[in-house]
Amino acid sequence: MKFAPVALMMIAALACVSPDALAQDGREADPAAALTAALNAACRGNELMFANYLTADSAAAFKALPADQRTQFLERFSLSDQPGRPLISADDRNHTVVRCVAPAGTAEFRFGDARVHENLAFIPVSAVNSQQTEFGLVRESGGWRLVSLGLVMLDIPQLAKQWATGDLDAREDAAIANLRGIADAVHTYKNAWGKLPESLEQLGPAPKNEISPEQASLVNEHLAAGSSAGYKFRYRVVGPADSEHSFEVSAQPESYGKTGKRSFLLDANGKIHAADRHGDLATAEDGTIP
C-alpha cells in the first residue's frame, strides 16, 4: 500500500504526540491512557495533575507530604532527576511509549498488553536501563487510578519514607567512599611531593600538563572545594608533617536529615568513625565502621 505525501506527513506528525493534546483530567476511560497521563504529570513535575491519578486516600496522603518529598516522589516515578518534557508515541505493536526528555537524559517507558478485570487493570512496563515492572490501576470516581507498583501497594507515605531512607543511605555510602578517596589522594600527594598538603584545595584539578603541589589533580573540583553529594568535608593535619598518618578528614551532612544523618571521621590511623551527631562533627570516640 502506498501513501500520498500528505498522508505520510500526517503519520509522521502522529508518531510523537504532545501530551498537551490529550485529556488529563483523571477521567480517561482507558487504563493505559490514565497511566500515560500520570507519567506525563510526573515527568513535568506537575503535582496537582499527578494527584488526579491517585486514589482518594493516596491523593490526600501525597498532598500532605512535605514539598521536597513530593518532588522526590515524582522524580522516582518518572526516573528523572529534573522536570522534563513528556512525549508520547507508539511501537510497531501499537503499544504506548512514553518518553521523559530532561536536561540530564531521557527516560523511556514501553507499555505491554494491559490485563483488565472489571474494575482492576494491570499494565506491564519496561523502562530503558531498568527492569520490567507492572502498574496496577483501579476504577474510581469515573476514571482509572494508580493502586500498585510491582507487588507493592501504592502506599504514598510508606513509599516516600522508604525512598527517602534509600537516598540517605546512598549519600552516606558516597561520603564514606569520598573519605577513603581523599585519604588515598593525600598519601599519593605525600609520595609525590614529600609532604602533606595543607588543604583539600591543593588536591584539586590542574590545567593540562601543569600539575604542581598547589594543584595536584588528585580529586575532583567538588571535593577540592570541600563539598560533594550533600556532605561537607574538612581536612586537617594533626601530627608531625613527616608522620605516615598525620591527618584526619571529617564529613558531615550539609542539611541534616535531608542529605544525611550520620557524620564521619577518618582518623590519623585510617579508621572511620561514624555517629548520628545531628549534623555536628564526628569524633574519635564514636564507633568505627569496616
Side-chain angles (χ1 to χ4, degrees):
M1 175 182 247
K2 294 185 178 180
F3 294 96
V6 174
L8 288 172
M9 292 173 63
M10 292 177 64
I11 291 172
L14 289 172
C16 197
V17 181
S18 168
D20 294 326
L22 305 177
Q24 292 190 338
D25 58 1
R27 295 183 179 276
E28 283 77 6
D30 178 76
L35 178 56
T36 298
L39 287 168
N40 287 335
C43 174
R44 290 177 170 183
N46 190 320
E47 298 174 5
L48 292 178
M49 186 180 295
F50 180 75
N52 287 338
Y53 300 95
L54 301 174
T55 62
D57 290 344
S58 288
F62 176 74
K63 293 174 182 177
L65 291 174
D68 61 329
Q69 289 189 27
R70 293 197 301 272
T71 298
Q72 290 171 8
F73 193 97
L74 295 186
E75 289 174 350
R76 290 273 190 167
F77 200 87
S78 64
L79 302 181
S80 178
D81 290 338
Q82 296 175 286
R85 180 169 58 96
L87 296 173
I88 306 166
S89 59
D91 62 17
D92 54 6
R93 299 180 59 190
N94 204 32
H95 290 152
T96 300
V97 178
V98 178
R99 294 180 177 87
C100 181
V101 183
T106 298
E108 183 177 278
F109 304 86
R110 292 183 172 271
F111 292 16
D113 292 320
R115 306 193 315 277
V116 182
H117 308 280
E118 296 184 353
N119 291 329
L120 284 174
F122 298 92
I123 303 175
V125 176
S126 295
V128 171
N129 298 326
S130 184
Q131 296 181 348
Q132 185 180 83
T133 190
E134 190 169 68
F135 288 84
L137 298 94
V138 62
R139 193 188 296 273
E140 179 184 274
S141 302
W144 289 95
R145 306 286 184 263
L146 294 163
V147 70
S148 66
L149 177 58
L151 298 177
V152 180
M153 296 300 291
L154 205 61
D155 184 334
I156 299 292
Q158 187 62 29
L159 279 176
K161 182 178 179 180
Q162 290 176 358
W163 288 347
T165 298
D167 285 341
L168 286 179
D169 291 344
R171 290 180 184 276
E172 290 184 355
D173 289 344
I176 294 170
N178 281 329
L179 280 179
R180 292 186 170 125
I182 290 172
D184 289 343
V186 171
H187 289 303
T188 300
Y189 181 101
K190 185 179 179 183
N191 289 335
W193 306 106
K195 61 180 180 178
L196 290 171
E198 296 178 2
S199 67
L200 289 177
E201 188 176 6
Q202 291 178 269
L203 302 175
K208 187 176 181 180
N209 298 324
E210 293 185 23
I211 292 176
S212 68
E214 287 69 40
Q215 293 177 297
S217 280
L218 294 171
V219 301
N220 62 39
E221 66 274 18
H222 303 294
L223 287 177
S227 178
S228 180
Y231 266 78
K232 296 182 293 184
F233 296 87
R234 187 184 72 168
Y235 161 85
R236 70 189 186 105
V237 176
V238 295
D242 59 351
S243 174
E244 182 179 356
H245 299 292
S246 56
F247 65 91
E248 64 180 24
V249 189
S250 63
Q252 60 190 120
E254 291 183 336
S255 179
Y256 176 76
K258 291 184 178 180
T259 63
K261 284 191 173 181
R262 291 188 297 170
S263 296
F264 304 95
L265 173 70
L266 187 146
D267 66 22
N269 295 313
K271 295 181 180 180
I272 296 180
H273 303 262
D276 184 344
R277 288 282 183 176
H278 297 277
D280 290 337
L281 290 169
T283 71
E285 283 72 44
D286 295 325
T288 59
I289 61 175

